[in-house]
Amino acid sequence: MTAPVPAERDLDTLRAAAAGCQACDLWKTGTQTVFGEGTRKADVVLVGEQPGDQEDKQGRPFVGPAGRVLDEALEAAGIDRTKVYVTNTVKHFKWTAQGKRRIHKKPNAEEIGACRPWLSAELESVKPRLLICLGATAAQALLGRSFRVTQDRGRLVDSPLAPMVMATVHPSSILRATDDESRRVEMKRFVEDLRAAADALKSAA
Ligand code: URA
């Protein structure tokens, strides 16, 4: 089955259709489709990898620990989360059991490809001025497999997807930092990337 994307680009219509998507097998183990959230009028679209445990349960993107890091970084960068559209490359939680815990598992190319029509439809609906890819999964899905976040983070890249496109790290990479000092340094760099994006948007206004 391919993703049942309707012709309309109205976000509520898309969200309702995505709720029944069975284009890959992840619907079988995920609680629900976690569609993007935010206004169609958003200037900025942020794309993550896939919902995590909390997002899967609540049905909303970036509401768990990584979402809290993202909120903090957006605020520090002067970007109002209520004015951006936040979504994921893959819209079901992929996990494996470890005891009673559900551990995040990276989506594969087939799952990313199956979900792509939803992301394309979201981008066609919102038509952001600035698109920010959070982490390698989003960056490589949208900007090509050879894109390297470590090398190319924090600078605008040419893409037909939006007038301004940037990739930076995924907020969960900051949570994985092994000590307080590296966490502080990584958070600072993440905020700097987001601030550079926000500044580019302002100067192009
Ligand atoms: N990580 C993501 O990439 N997206 C979410 O929504 C939550 C965690």
PDB file of all heavy atoms in Angstrom, residues 34 48-52 55 60-63 66-67 87-88 134 170 172, ligand 1:
ATOM      1  N   VAL A  34       1.772   9.959  14.239  1.00  0.00           N
ATOM      2  CA  VAL A  34       2.040  11.271  14.865  1.00  0.00           C
ATOM      3  C   VAL A  34       2.313  12.249  13.733  1.00  0.00           C
ATOM      4  O   VAL A  34       3.411  12.304  13.174  1.00  0.00           O
ATOM      5  CB  VAL A  34       3.237  11.185  15.842  1.00  0.00           C
ATOM      6  CG1 VAL A  34       3.508  12.552  16.459  1.00  0.00           C
ATOM      7  CG2 VAL A  34       2.973  10.140  16.913  1.00  0.00           C
ATOM      8  N   GLY A  48      12.075  16.429  12.315  1.00  0.00           N
ATOM      9  CA  GLY A  48      12.870  15.497  13.109  1.00  0.00           C
ATOM     10  C   GLY A  48      12.944  14.130  12.433  1.00  0.00           C
ATOM     11  O   GLY A  48      12.745  13.997  11.227  1.00  0.00           O
ATOM     12  N   GLU A  49      13.231  13.117  13.231  1.00  0.00           N
ATOM     13  CA  GLU A  49      13.357  11.768  12.668  1.00  0.00           C
ATOM     14  C   GLU A  49      12.037  11.018  12.717  1.00  0.00           C
ATOM     15  O   GLU A  49      11.423  10.718  11.701  1.00  0.00           O
ATOM     16  CB  GLU A  49      14.447  10.998  13.434  1.00  0.00           C
ATOM     17  CG  GLU A  49      14.665   9.610  12.862  1.00  0.00           C
ATOM     18  CD  GLU A  49      15.540   8.752  13.747  1.00  0.00           C
ATOM     19  OE1 GLU A  49      15.059   8.215  14.756  1.00  0.00           O
ATOM     20  OE2 GLU A  49      16.739   8.625  13.414  1.00  0.00           O
ATOM     21  N   GLN A  50      11.617  10.692  13.910  1.00  0.00           N
ATOM     22  CA  GLN A  50      10.373   9.951  14.114  1.00  0.00           C
ATOM     23  C   GLN A  50       9.913  10.203  15.543  1.00  0.00           C
ATOM     24  O   GLN A  50      10.716  10.591  16.391  1.00  0.00           O
ATOM     25  CB  GLN A  50      10.602   8.460  13.902  1.00  0.00           C
ATOM     26  CG  GLN A  50      11.590   7.882  14.903  1.00  0.00           C
ATOM     27  CD  GLN A  50      11.617   6.357  14.907  1.00  0.00           C
ATOM     28  OE1 GLN A  50      10.808   5.712  14.277  1.00  0.00           O
ATOM     29  NE2 GLN A  50      12.557   5.795  15.631  1.00  0.00           N
ATOM     30  N   PRO A  51       8.617   9.982  15.825  1.00  0.00           N
ATOM     31  CA  PRO A  51       8.165  10.197  17.194  1.00  0.00           C
ATOM     32  C   PRO A  51       8.884   9.256  18.156  1.00  0.00           C
ATOM     33  O   PRO A  51       9.293   8.158  17.787  1.00  0.00           O
ATOM     34  CB  PRO A  51       6.667   9.877  17.136  1.00  0.00           C
ATOM     35  CG  PRO A  51       6.412   9.229  15.821  1.00  0.00           C
ATOM     36  CD  PRO A  51       7.553   9.562  14.928  1.00  0.00           C
ATOM     37  N   GLY A  52       9.048   9.690  19.390  1.00  0.00           N
ATOM     38  CA  GLY A  52       9.600   8.832  20.431  1.00  0.00           C
ATOM     39  C   GLY A  52       8.465   8.241  21.257  1.00  0.00           C
ATOM     40  O   GLY A  52       7.283   8.341  20.899  1.00  0.00           O
ATOM     41  N   GLU A  55       5.817  10.800  22.358  1.00  0.00           N
ATOM     42  CA  GLU A  55       5.090  11.311  21.191  1.00  0.00           C
ATOM     43  C   GLU A  55       4.095  10.256  20.692  1.00  0.00           C
ATOM     44  O   GLU A  55       2.967  10.558  20.314  1.00  0.00           O
ATOM     45  CB  GLU A  55       6.076  11.678  20.069  1.00  0.00           C
ATOM     46  CG  GLU A  55       6.913  12.923  20.359  1.00  0.00           C
ATOM     47  CD  GLU A  55       8.094  12.689  21.295  1.00  0.00           C
ATOM     48  OE1 GLU A  55       8.414  11.509  21.579  1.00  0.00           O
ATOM     49  OE2 GLU A  55       8.697  13.689  21.739  1.00  0.00           O
ATOM     50  N   ARG A  60       1.554  13.577  19.499  1.00  0.00           N
ATOM     51  CA  ARG A  60       2.051  14.910  19.104  1.00  0.00           C
ATOM     52  C   ARG A  60       3.568  14.869  18.992  1.00  0.00           C
ATOM     53  O   ARG A  60       4.226  14.212  19.804  1.00  0.00           O
ATOM     54  CB  ARG A  60       1.643  15.959  20.149  1.00  0.00           C
ATOM     55  CG  ARG A  60       0.135  16.098  20.311  1.00  0.00           C
ATOM     56  CD  ARG A  60      -0.188  17.067  21.431  1.00  0.00           C
ATOM     57  NE  ARG A  60       0.491  18.329  21.211  1.00  0.00           N
ATOM     58  CZ  ARG A  60       0.865  19.158  22.187  1.00  0.00           C
ATOM     59  NH1 ARG A  60       0.612  18.864  23.438  1.00  0.00           N
ATOM     60  NH2 ARG A  60       1.471  20.284  21.906  1.00  0.00           N
ATOM     61  N   PRO A  61       4.132  15.581  17.996  1.00  0.00           N
ATOM     62  CA  PRO A  61       5.588  15.546  17.822  1.00  0.00           C
ATOM     63  C   PRO A  61       6.332  16.354  18.881  1.00  0.00           C
ATOM     64  O   PRO A  61       5.841  17.372  19.353  1.00  0.00           O
ATOM     65  CB  PRO A  61       5.791  16.186  16.433  1.00  0.00           C
ATOM     66  CG  PRO A  61       4.614  17.094  16.266  1.00  0.00           C
ATOM     67  CD  PRO A  61       3.464  16.439  16.997  1.00  0.00           C
ATOM     68  N   PHE A  62       7.509  15.881  19.225  1.00  0.00           N
ATOM     69  CA  PHE A  62       8.438  16.597  20.111  1.00  0.00           C
ATOM     70  C   PHE A  62       7.784  17.076  21.407  1.00  0.00           C
ATOM     71  O   PHE A  62       7.854  18.249  21.753  1.00  0.00           O
ATOM     72  CB  PHE A  62       9.082  17.774  19.357  1.00  0.00           C
ATOM     73  CG  PHE A  62      10.184  17.320  18.424  1.00  0.00           C
ATOM     74  CD1 PHE A  62       9.982  17.289  17.051  1.00  0.00           C
ATOM     75  CD2 PHE A  62      11.412  16.903  18.917  1.00  0.00           C
ATOM     76  CE1 PHE A  62      10.991  16.856  16.185  1.00  0.00           C
ATOM     77  CE2 PHE A  62      12.415  16.465  18.063  1.00  0.00           C
ATOM     78  CZ  PHE A  62      12.209  16.445  16.695  1.00  0.00           C
ATOM     79  N   VAL A  63       7.159  16.156  22.116  1.00  0.00           N
ATOM     80  CA  VAL A  63       6.596  16.497  23.434  1.00  0.00           C
ATOM     81  C   VAL A  63       7.318  15.755  24.563  1.00  0.00           C
ATOM     82  O   VAL A  63       6.998  15.950  25.730  1.00  0.00           O
ATOM     83  CB  VAL A  63       5.074  16.195  23.512  1.00  0.00           C
ATOM     84  CG1 VAL A  63       4.285  17.165  22.653  1.00  0.00           C
ATOM     85  CG2 VAL A  63       4.772  14.753  23.131  1.00  0.00           C
ATOM     86  N   ALA A  66      13.357  14.984  24.134  1.00  0.00           N
ATOM     87  CA  ALA A  66      13.998  15.705  23.015  1.00  0.00           C
ATOM     88  C   ALA A  66      13.216  16.984  22.700  1.00  0.00           C
ATOM     89  O   ALA A  66      13.796  18.015  22.340  1.00  0.00           O
ATOM     90  CB  ALA A  66      14.085  14.819  21.778  1.00  0.00           C
ATOM     91  N   GLY A  67      11.913  16.923  22.864  1.00  0.00           N
ATOM     92  CA  GLY A  67      11.064  18.095  22.637  1.00  0.00           C
ATOM     93  C   GLY A  67      11.369  19.207  23.633  1.00  0.00           C
ATOM     94  O   GLY A  67      11.336  20.386  23.292  1.00  0.00           O
ATOM     95  N   THR A  87       7.409  18.652  12.540  1.00  0.00           N
ATOM     96  CA  THR A  87       6.988  17.334  12.067  1.00  0.00           C
ATOM     97  C   THR A  87       8.171  16.366  12.064  1.00  0.00           C
ATOM     98  O   THR A  87       9.264  16.705  12.531  1.00  0.00           O
ATOM     99  CB  THR A  87       6.305  17.443  10.680  1.00  0.00           C
ATOM    100  OG1 THR A  87       5.661  16.194  10.402  1.00  0.00           O
ATOM    101  CG2 THR A  87       7.290  17.808   9.569  1.00  0.00           C
ATOM    102  N   ASN A  88       7.932  15.178  11.571  1.00  0.00           N
ATOM    103  CA  ASN A  88       8.968  14.147  11.529  1.00  0.00           C
ATOM    104  C   ASN A  88       9.056  13.515  10.145  1.00  0.00           C
ATOM    105  O   ASN A  88       8.084  13.522   9.385  1.00  0.00           O
ATOM    106  CB  ASN A  88       8.652  13.062  12.571  1.00  0.00           C
ATOM    107  CG  ASN A  88       9.025  13.491  13.975  1.00  0.00           C
ATOM    108  OD1 ASN A  88      10.178  13.790  14.246  1.00  0.00           O
ATOM    109  ND2 ASN A  88       8.032  13.557  14.857  1.00  0.00           N
ATOM    110  N   LEU A 134      16.421  18.420  11.519  1.00  0.00           N
ATOM    111  CA  LEU A 134      17.039  18.115  12.808  1.00  0.00           C
ATOM    112  C   LEU A 134      17.619  16.709  12.764  1.00  0.00           C
ATOM    113  O   LEU A 134      16.895  15.719  12.840  1.00  0.00           O
ATOM    114  CB  LEU A 134      15.985  18.220  13.917  1.00  0.00           C
ATOM    115  CG  LEU A 134      15.317  19.587  14.083  1.00  0.00           C
ATOM    116  CD1 LEU A 134      14.137  19.497  15.045  1.00  0.00           C
ATOM    117  CD2 LEU A 134      16.318  20.629  14.566  1.00  0.00           C
ATOM    118  N   HIS A 170      20.214  16.656  15.858  1.00  0.00           N
ATOM    119  CA  HIS A 170      18.942  16.305  16.479  1.00  0.00           C
ATOM    120  C   HIS A 170      19.040  16.634  17.977  1.00  0.00           C
ATOM    121  O   HIS A 170      20.064  16.373  18.596  1.00  0.00           O
ATOM    122  CB  HIS A 170      18.674  14.809  16.282  1.00  0.00           C
ATOM    123  CG  HIS A 170      17.269  14.441  16.639  1.00  0.00           C
ATOM    124  ND1 HIS A 170      16.855  14.332  17.942  1.00  0.00           N
ATOM    125  CD2 HIS A 170      16.194  14.214  15.856  1.00  0.00           C
ATOM    126  CE1 HIS A 170      15.561  14.033  17.939  1.00  0.00           C
ATOM    127  NE2 HIS A 170      15.141  13.961  16.691  1.00  0.00           N
ATOM    128  N   SER A 172      18.044  15.126  20.476  1.00  0.00           N
ATOM    129  CA  SER A 172      18.360  13.974  21.343  1.00  0.00           C
ATOM    130  C   SER A 172      19.863  13.722  21.419  1.00  0.00           C
ATOM    131  O   SER A 172      20.340  13.087  22.363  1.00  0.00           O
ATOM    132  CB  SER A 172      17.610  12.719  20.907  1.00  0.00           C
ATOM    133  OG  SER A 172      18.031  12.351  19.636  1.00  0.00           O
TER     134      SER A 172
HETATM  135  N1  URA B   1      12.521  12.699  18.118  1.00  0.00           N
HETATM  136  C1  URA B   1      12.074  13.073  16.907  1.00  0.00           C
HETATM  137  O1  URA B   1      12.791  13.047  15.914  1.00  0.00           O
HETATM  138  N2  URA B   1      10.840  13.488  16.819  1.00  0.00           N
HETATM  139  C2  URA B   1      10.006  13.551  17.840  1.00  0.00           C
HETATM  140  O2  URA B   1       8.868  13.947  17.649  1.00  0.00           O
HETATM  141  C3  URA B   1      10.496  13.169  19.112  1.00  0.00           C
HETATM  142  C4  URA B   1      11.754  12.744  19.219  1.00  0.00           C
END
